[in-house]
């Protein structure tokens, strides 16, 4: 009986192992096919004029989108990073994690992180475009994006802060350090790798977002924005515009640029995480 049960366990393990391997291969094949298709369709049409030239009806350019994307990153991450990191520090270091208020805040944060981006876009449209009378503008889109990525930064930063061993806090207090000095000299450096990674991934989400921006910054693809209250565009919006207005080659080329940027951001996050991780081990 024991031998039969053992054989059944082995067969069950082998079955699920091959099922998981098959699922992995299917996922990799689907991802690879999408990436290869985009690269094959878009790379032949990438040129200097597409990236750095002036927009014309015959030869469109993504230069305005690159400038608009840069502004959106500065606005959104510039607002969300200090607020998100500060909120996470308050939740982990200055409050009782078992209190009802903190549990409600955490549930609200997780709920906001799962809301579809189009809902944030509608919020930004009603507040910044309509209520405040800003119209379609980069500042409205950037602030809306900062609200969208804020729950992700708070959650990620909080998890990294909680992962710092309590013994480091106690050792710092035993040496006479204040609460603030312990946070900035001990806790934040130890959690820096995870925090930096979360911020870089938030930048990747900003670059690839489109639903929010359609409703907040408009889709002015033919000229660069003059200032932060001007309408503009982004790389993701350019892909949509080119694909729906008779520029399939430029849409594919823009998708390649967007794909390369997102991949570069993810690789940068991985590398920085390893660098900071080695630094923490060396300091430890």
């Amino acid at each position: 009986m024991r031998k039969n049960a053992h054989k059944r366990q082995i067969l069950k393990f082998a079955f699920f192992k091959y099922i998981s391997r098959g699922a992995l291969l299917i996922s990799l094949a689907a991802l690879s096919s999408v990436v290869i298709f985009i690269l094959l369709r878009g790379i032949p049409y990438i040129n200097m004029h597409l990236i750095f030239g002036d927009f014309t009806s015959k030869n469109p350019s993504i230069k305005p989108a690159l400038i608009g994307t840069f502004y959106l990153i500065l606005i959104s991450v510039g607002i969300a990073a200090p607020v998100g990191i500060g909120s996470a520090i308050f939740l982990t270091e200055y409050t009782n994690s078992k209190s009802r208020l903190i549990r409600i805040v955490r549930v609200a944060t997780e709920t906001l992180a799962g809301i579809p981006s189009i809902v944030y876009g509608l919020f930004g449209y009603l507040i910044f475009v309509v209520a405040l009378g800003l119209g379609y503008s980069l500042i409205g889109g950037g602030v809306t994006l900062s609200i969208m990525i804020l729950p992700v930064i708070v959650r990620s930063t909080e998890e990294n802060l909680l992962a710092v061993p309590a013994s480091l806090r106690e050792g710092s207090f035993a040496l006479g350090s204040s609460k603030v000095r312990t946070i900035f000299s001990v806790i934040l450096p130890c959690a820096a790798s995870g925090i930096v990674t979360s911020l870089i991934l938030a930048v990747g989400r900003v670059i690839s977002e489109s639903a929010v921006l359609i409703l907040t910054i408009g889709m002015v693809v033919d000229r660069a924005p003059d200032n932060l209250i001007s309408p503009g565009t982004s790389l993701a919006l350019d892909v949509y515009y080119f694909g729906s207005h008779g520029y399939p080659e430029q849409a594919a080329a823009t998708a390649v640029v967007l794909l390369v940027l997102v991949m570069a951001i993810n690789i940068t996050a991985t590398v920085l995480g390893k660098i900071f991780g080695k630094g923490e081990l060396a300091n430890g």
Side-chain angles (χ1 to χ4, degrees), residues 14-35:
F15 173 76
F16 284 112
K17 181 177 70 173
Y18 288 114
I19 287 294
S20 61
R21 286 182 179 178
L24 175 62
L25 291 176
I26 293 173
S27 301
L28 290 177
L31 177 62
S32 301
S33 62
V34 172
V35 173

Side-chain angles (χ1 to χ4, degrees), residues 22-72:
L24 175 62
L25 291 176
I26 293 173
S27 301
L28 290 177
L31 177 62
S32 301
S33 62
V34 172
V35 173
I36 292 173
F37 176 80
I38 293 175
L39 293 177
L40 291 177
R41 291 292 301 270
I43 288 178
Y45 299 100
I46 296 179
N47 52 61
M48 296 300 292
H49 180 272
L50 178 71
I51 299 176
F52 301 109
D54 295 327
F55 190 100
T56 63
S57 58
K58 294 183 178 179
N59 293 307
S61 169
I62 63 172
K63 180 181 177 181
L66 291 173
I67 297 174
T69 302
F70 176 74
Y71 282 143
L72 291 171

Side-chain angles (χ1 to χ4, degrees), residues 2 7 10 13 22 31 33-34 41 63 76 85 88 105 107 124 126 135 139 146 173 177 185 231 257 280 283:
R2 291 183 177 178
K7 289 182 178 179
I10 293 176
F13 174 78
L31 177 62
S33 62
V34 172
R41 291 292 301 270
K63 180 181 177 181
S76 58
I85 295 174
V105 170
V107 170
L126 294 176
I139 187 67
S146 70
F173 292 145
S177 298
S185 300
V257 176
E280 292 168 12
N283 294 331

Side-chain angles (χ1 to χ4, degrees), residues 41-197:
R41 291 292 301 270
I43 288 178
Y45 299 100
I46 296 179
N47 52 61
M48 296 300 292
H49 180 272
L50 178 71
I51 299 176
F52 301 109
D54 295 327
F55 190 100
T56 63
S57 58
K58 294 183 178 179
N59 293 307
S61 169
I62 63 172
K63 180 181 177 181
L66 291 173
I67 297 174
T69 302
F70 176 74
Y71 282 143
L72 291 171
I73 293 173
L74 286 181
I75 297 171
S76 58
V77 178
I79 295 174
V83 174
I85 295 174
S87 300
I89 292 174
F90 176 77
L91 290 174
T92 55
E93 304 299 329
Y94 289 97
T95 58
N96 182 6
S97 60
K98 296 182 180 180
S99 67
R100 179 177 297 180
L101 175 62
I102 298 305
R103 290 200 299 269
I104 293 174
V105 170
R106 289 199 172 107
V107 170
T109 302
E110 293 176 0
T111 303
L112 289 173
I115 292 178
S117 59
I118 190 65
V119 177
Y120 286 103
L122 182 60
F123 168 81
Y125 173 78
L126 294 176
I127 297 298
F128 299 108
V129 179
V130 178
L132 297 180
L134 295 177
Y136 294 111
S137 63
L138 290 174
I139 187 67
V143 175
T144 306
L145 287 174
S146 70
I147 298 172
M148 185 185 72
I149 65 176
L150 181 61
V152 179
I153 295 177
V154 172
R155 248 186 3 174
S156 178
T157 304
E158 185 180 5
E159 291 173 359
N160 285 282
L161 293 176
L162 291 173
V164 177
S167 59
L168 295 178
R169 296 176 172 85
E170 295 169 357
S172 179
F173 292 145
L175 293 174
S177 298
S178 64
K179 185 79 169 178
V180 174
R181 185 170 184 179
T182 299
I183 292 173
F184 285 95
S185 300
V186 178
I187 300 175
L188 285 179
C190 290
S193 62
I195 295 174
V196 171
T197 300

